[in-house]
Every structure is written in C-alpha cells, then in structure tokens.
Amino acid sequence: EDITKNKQAEQELRKSKKLLAERESIGKVGGWELKTNTLMITWTDELYRIHEVDTNFKPDLNSGISFYTPESQPIIKNAVSRAIEFGEPFDLELEIVTAKGNVRSVHSIGKTDPENMRIYGFFQDITERKQIENAIQKLNNELEQRVLERTRQLEMANNELEAFSYSVSHDLRAPLRHINGYVDLLNSKFSDHLPEKATYYLSTITDSTKEMGILIDDLLRFSRTSRQDLNKTHFDMNVLVNEVVEKTKEDVGLRQIVWSVQDLPQLYGDISMLKQVWANLISNAVKYTKYKETAEIQIACTVEKNNYVFSIRDNGVGFDMQYAAKLFGVFQRLHAKEEFEGTGIGLAHVQRIIHKHNGKVWAEAEPNHGAVFYFSIKK
C-alpha cells in the first residue's frame, strides 16, 4: 500500500506542533482543557514549563488549583465552579507558586463547552509584564510624591514672596515718605536761607526718592505677575494695540512719530497682561527714538504654523547684539540711566508675561540703526 500521503501529513503535523510549541514558548502562553465529568486536566507543554513540573505530572482540578497562592485560590475555585455550573467564562490575573517555589503572575482565560463536557482556555505567564507595571506604578507614585513636595515648596515660596511684597510695599515706603517729608520741611521753612548748592542737593534727594518709589512699584508689579493666574478670553489685538498707541500719542505731545500698525489677528489670551506687554514695548520704542527728528514705529504680525509672531520695530539707537542675552534680565540696562530713563524691569516683565502664555520673546538690533522686538503667542 502506498502510504506516502499519510507520511507527508504526519510530517506536516509534526511541523505544526513544533511551530505551535515554539510560539507558546516565545509568548509564554499555553492551552489547557478540563473535563467536567472526570475533573482531569490536559496541559500543553508550555504549562508544564510555567508550573516548573515534569511532563510526567498528571494534573487534575485539585492539583491545578493547589499551585495558586492562598489569596488567589478562592478566586479561581469560584470561577471554575461557576463555569461548570452556569457556563460562565472567566478572565483572571492571579498568582501561582511553581513546583520550585517561584511566585509567578499568570493570566488565565476559560471558556465553556457544555456539549463536550469541558472547559478550555489559555494560560500565560505575565510575571515580567507585572514587574514592569509595578515598576511604572512605583515611579508614578514617586513622581506624584515629588510633585506634591514641589507644590508644597512652591506654595511656601509664594507665601514668602507675598511677605516680601508686603514688606516692600509698606516697610520701604515709610522711610521714603519720611525723607520726602523732611525735604519739604527744609524747603518750606529754610528756603530763603539755603544756598543754591543745598537746594540742588535737596532736589536730587527728592528725584531719587521718586525714582525709588517707581522702582518699588515696578518690582511689585513684576512679582505679582508670577503669581497671577491667566484670565484668557478671545479678543481683537487691533483694539488693544490701538488703545495703547492712542494713550502713548497723548503722552508724547508734539514729538514727530510716524506710526505704522498692520492688521492684527484675533487672539486667545489674558487681555490685561498682554496690554502691559504692548505698553512696555511701545514705550521703549518711543523712549529710544527720542533723539530722532522723526521717529518711525512699525507694529506687525506674521503667521507661523502654530503661532502668531508679533513685532515692533523702531529706528532708534538700537544696541549691540552681543548683549542681547542681558535684555530680559531684571535691572539689566544697555544704555546709561542719564541718557534714557527707566528701572530695567520692563522687558523682564514682558518676558514673564509671554512665558506664561507659553510663548517666547526675542530681539534684533544694530547700534544707531534701530531695533525690533518679537514675541510669539500660540494660535
């Protein structure tokens, strides 16, 4: 009899079994079947490896359940019982203790087949996955703890900053009021007897106390910005910028300034904060063009992929780009105070506001050829 086809079928079957065994080994997953009439269990090879028992081991329902940890045994017993009695499937992640005493996490899935009096399913070793999940959970818990600790530290820092602001607002202003008060007394009671140089000295003291008062106000405004929450709304940037420009025109009086304001977009942001940004940038442009017979100030906006980029360009004194990094620091000045008034806080305030809007601010310039300041805001 020609048995070639039978031999070929047997060879293909052996290949399939070998391939299945390799897949089971790689995935650490095997199959099982429980006969509900005899309570005997059949395992594929991978289950013997997972349980670390010899292939001569003959599992039944009781011996199979005995591998589970004390915490997992009631759960698997109840699941199997309900599968036998009511035909309910189960899908559980539990723990077993192997024949060699190793604890493993396993994923057990069971389905019922009442017609053939059996329950069958899959059984997978998920120990590595559980270890990774536990490690991730531990990292998350540690990260959460660090965030809580950092939040507590920030709250303490904010409280300290509040105390500092109160101290600046009250304790530093009192001596300034005293100085101004005594200067006024000297001027009112002894002005006829004071020499010209003494009058000049008193005038210098008064100017310095006023400058100190402005500096205190700028510092308080700067510190409040870091603690202030954004109150974002949709608004027209044209309206906001025109308000600032019109107010500036009133302040500069008879100066010759050519204004060029392009059409600006609708925006989502904090109106009051962004108004302060424009007020600072426009006042700087006006200030640093004061020696020009005709000042030119251009305000524009370009659209990038995810941002609006606003710019304000002037034809003023400009600055050397090697010092550009100093522009946005507190008390950083690139020009002498005698030339251009100011406290050195305005651009730092601008940067802080733009950062709160998740944007960035930068500048380009050339000495005696003007400057252009940019800031970006997300669409």
Side-chain angles (χ1 to χ4, degrees):
E1 183 180 0
D2 186 356
I3 59 171
T4 303
K5 290 184 178 181
N6 291 343
K7 287 296 182 180
Q8 289 175 343
E10 290 176 3
Q11 188 175 5
E12 290 297 324
L13 182 59
R14 284 195 296 270
K15 285 182 180 180
S16 297
K17 287 183 176 180
K18 183 180 179 181
L19 182 60
L20 178 60
E22 289 174 351
R23 289 176 176 176
E24 286 188 352
S25 179
I26 292 171
K28 295 184 178 180
V29 58
W32 58 271
E33 180 183 270
L34 168 67
K35 287 293 185 179
T36 56
N37 56 345
T38 63
L39 301 183
M40 295 301 295
I41 299 177
T42 303
W43 284 350
T44 61
D45 292 345
E46 185 59 25
L47 265 74
Y48 289 95
R49 286 192 287 270
I50 292 175
H51 290 81
E52 296 186 317
V53 294
D54 189 85
T55 53
N56 294 323
F57 178 75
K58 301 296 183 184
D60 58 20
L61 180 60
N62 291 330
S63 63
I65 289 177
S66 68
F67 284 100
Y68 286 85
T69 61
E71 296 79 13
S72 298
Q73 283 188 18
I75 300 172
I76 190 65
K77 282 181 179 178
N78 181 63
V80 173
S81 176
R82 296 188 68 83
I84 294 173
E85 187 172 356
F86 303 110
E88 291 182 4
F90 57 85
D91 187 336
L92 302 170
E93 291 187 0
L94 303 170
E95 287 188 336
I96 65 169
V97 179
T98 71
K100 295 182 178 180
N102 296 312
V103 178
R104 289 180 174 172
S105 298
V106 296
H107 185 193
S108 182
I109 299 175
K111 295 185 177 181
T112 60
D113 181 10
E115 291 184 5
N116 295 301
M117 294 183 295
R118 68 178 185 136
I119 303 171
Y120 66 97
F122 299 94
F123 193 88
Q124 184 179 20
D125 181 357
I126 58 171
T127 305
E128 290 184 8
R129 193 195 83 190
K130 281 295 183 181
Q131 289 173 345
I132 294 172
E133 288 177 357
N134 292 336
I136 292 173
Q137 184 61 49
K138 183 180 179 181
L139 288 174
N140 287 339
N141 292 338
E142 291 175 355
L143 179 60
E144 185 177 352
Q145 186 60 39
R146 287 198 295 269
V147 170
L148 291 173
E149 179 63 23
R150 183 59 176 162
T151 302
R152 186 184 67 82
Q153 292 174 355
L154 289 174
E155 288 175 351
M156 290 176 61
N158 281 335
N159 291 335
E160 291 173 359
L161 191 58
E162 289 281 359
F164 168 76
S165 299
Y166 181 86
S167 176
V168 168
S169 180
H170 295 79
D171 298 345
L172 292 185
R173 290 184 191 278
L176 291 179
R177 286 195 297 269
H178 292 160
I179 293 170
N180 282 328
Y182 282 108
V183 169
D184 291 341
L185 285 173
L186 285 171
N187 284 325
S188 62
K189 292 187 176 184
F190 304 103
S191 60
D192 295 337
H193 308 287
L194 291 173
E196 184 178 348
K197 184 162 285 191
T199 302
Y200 170 75
Y201 290 157
L202 290 175
S203 176
T204 302
I205 292 172
T206 300
D207 291 342
S208 296
T209 55
K210 288 180 180 178
E211 185 179 342
M212 184 65 180
I214 294 172
L215 182 58
I216 289 171
D217 290 338
D218 286 349
L219 277 172
L220 288 174
R221 192 179 299 113
F222 180 70
S223 66
R224 280 196 298 268
T225 300
S226 63
R227 306 189 307 275
Q228 185 177 347
D229 293 330
L230 292 177
N231 182 22
K232 287 188 173 184
T233 56
H234 290 281
F235 67 95
D236 189 344
M237 188 66 91
N238 292 292
V239 176
L240 188 150
V241 170
N242 286 333
E243 286 180 6
V244 178
V245 170
E246 291 302 318
K247 177 66 170 59
T248 304
K249 288 180 180 179
E250 295 175 5
D251 296 337
V252 299
L254 299 178
R255 276 192 58 188
Q256 294 296 315
I257 301 178
V258 177
W259 296 89
S260 173
V261 181
Q262 293 184 7
D263 188 45
L264 304 176
Q266 298 279 328
L267 201 70
Y268 183 64
D270 189 300
I271 298 178
S272 62
M273 285 191 179
L274 292 174
K275 187 174 184 179
Q276 186 65 53
V277 167
W278 283 114
N280 287 3
L281 294 177
I282 290 174
S283 67
N284 274 2
V286 170
K287 177 169 61 177
Y288 291 110
T289 56
K290 70 179 183 179
Y291 296 121
K292 289 287 184 178
E293 184 177 343
T294 300
E296 298 176 2
I297 299 175
Q298 303 171 5
I299 296 173
C301 176
T302 57
V303 182
E304 294 184 349
K305 184 177 181 181
N306 298 313
N307 298 311
Y308 293 117
V309 178
F310 297 92
S311 64
I312 176 167
R313 184 184 301 271
D314 65 65
N315 64 335
V317 296
F319 57 85
D320 193 330
M321 283 297 290
Q322 66 176 316
Y323 303 114
K326 298 173 60 177
L327 278 173
F328 301 99
V330 180
F331 303 133
Q332 297 292 338
R333 301 176 58 90
L334 301 186
H335 302 89
K337 187 167 59 175
E338 292 74 23
E339 281 188 283
F340 300 100
E341 71 279 2
T343 58
I345 297 177
L347 289 178
H349 197 195
V350 167
Q351 185 181 61
R352 179 161 289 184
I353 292 173
I354 297 304
H355 283 178
K356 287 179 74 73
H357 282 79
N358 295 320
K360 62 179 181 177
V361 58
W362 67 99
E364 298 173 357
E366 185 179 345
N368 301 317
H369 287 82
V372 54
F373 283 81
Y374 302 91
F375 66 89
S376 64
I377 300 286
K378 289 190 179 299
K379 291 182 180 178

